[in-house]
Amino acid sequence: MQTHIPSLDRRRFLAGLGGVTAGLTAAGLLAGCGGNGNASGGSKNSLTFLNWEQVKGNPLEQAIQAFEKQSGTHVTIQPAVTQEYDTKMRTLIAGGSPPDVMRINDDFVRGFSEQGALLDLQPYIDKDKLDTSQFAKETFDFPKQPDGSHTAWVLGYEPRLIFYNVDLFKAAGVPLPPTTWSSEGWTWSDFEAKAKKLTNPAKQQYGALVYLDTGYEQTFTVNHGSQTGIFSKDGTQFTLSDQKESEALQWATDLTCKDKVQPPWSALQQNNVQNQMFAQGKIAMMFATFGTVPYLRQTIKDFTWDVAPPPGDVEQKTESSVIVFCIPKKAKNPDAAWNLLKYLASEDGGKILLQGGAFTPINLKAAAALAPNGKAPAHIGLFAEAAKHLTATNQTKNTIGARELYRPALDTAYNCEKPVADVLQGVKSQVENALKG
């Protein structure tokens, strides 16, 4: 799972906090309404809430207002922290008066959990006899810790699919991708063959873009037969450097270095460049998150576009970015905070959040309401179906530290200077030292 933070490109944000989602982002949906008070604590019928972006007028405001009306609890939204949010969050958790509910970077969940800073929500789940089958399982299980505690709460997720330009396919006489989760005619070889036919150097038109969205690391390695993806199950080993995993990354890299059907790495270093190139008709197929949908709906006016599942090799799965909140252990009103999170993950709360169109609610019934409603993509329901096909990066004590080492190193492979396997083996020992925390 990987978190999106707006306004900064993920691959160039060294704190490892997440990539940009242009337009209406998941983070943009998940800030607050109510007042801008700084108070922490108060009566049992009030709680404080902190997120990393203001979103007044967006669906979460409506969802929180619905919760307030239903519960009689007042939600005070503390001023959003748009810069250096993680630093602010760490400071608040370490102090004595943190907000009752806080947005948390998914990379920090394991570390804060081991420090005992986050409230275990499992007793609340058990006490309320909450039916957890109503949630997308892989996403719901993400905050579970090795000791059985459930230390954070996922409200929604952004599955990654293949976005494609229908008009370019038709103009080139290339059969369209499948409209269901199927690998029939949609293997890696099929994808590569279509990308070649869709590439037109004279028009600076590329058939595919896979390796820019860092979610491809987990998705494509698992789809190539990896049992773990980037990190081992216990979070201590850098399995991305193993054979199958390196082969998957090399395949994606070779779309540029050998097949010439993917934009060169040097052309992809500007913020939001992939979405802009797709909207300009310069990329025929692009691996990207659900959070891309609002931007493309707003921007594309002159061609038809749609989505398809990732191509299948051994498996056909996809990784999602996740929208995660926590209740600090020192929260003054944990019961009220839990009731808010529970409501936002309910069918009613999820249907309100779904109106933003930037992520899939964790509630399966709410997600089932995904429909094109006359807008592209015609097969938007594939994002809801993704709940049955999710893979998640195994958690570690220091995921950010590991990523700060191996992702910059991969630039030499993406620039066609070294094989992926050589690059990853070269940093393996450093990464595994970082994983020790």
Side-chain angles (χ1 to χ4, degrees), residues 1 64 194 256 273 386 410 427 429:
M1 303 280 175
I64 290 181
K194 291 179 188 295
T256 292
V273 65
L410 278 170
V427 298
S429 61

Side-chain angles (χ1 to χ4, degrees), residues 176-244:
L176 297 176
T179 58
T180 62
W181 278 85
S182 170
S183 60
E184 184 176 351
W186 196 229
T187 64
W188 284 13
S189 296
D190 295 323
F191 181 88
E192 185 177 345
K194 291 179 188 295
K196 289 179 179 178
K197 293 178 180 179
L198 291 163
T199 297
N200 188 333
K203 295 182 179 180
Q204 294 185 316
Q205 174 186 307
Y206 294 94
L209 178 55
V210 169
Y211 65 173
L212 188 63
D213 187 307
T214 52
Y216 101 95
E217 297 168 357
Q218 179 73 16
T219 298
F220 282 77
T221 54
V222 168
N223 285 348
H224 192 52
S226 170
Q227 297 300 305
T228 57
I230 303 171
F231 305 116
S232 61
K233 189 173 181 180
D234 64 4
T236 64
Q237 299 176 52
F238 182 51
T239 51
L240 190 65
S241 62
D242 293 350
Q243 181 178 348
K244 285 185 179 294

Side-chain angles (χ1 to χ4, degrees), residues 67 71 73 124 128 327 334-344:
F67 166 76
S71 66
T73 300
Y124 284 101
D128 289 352
I327 301 175
D335 293 352
W338 162 249
N339 287 332
L340 172 62
L341 292 181
K342 185 173 63 172
Y343 175 79
L344 295 176

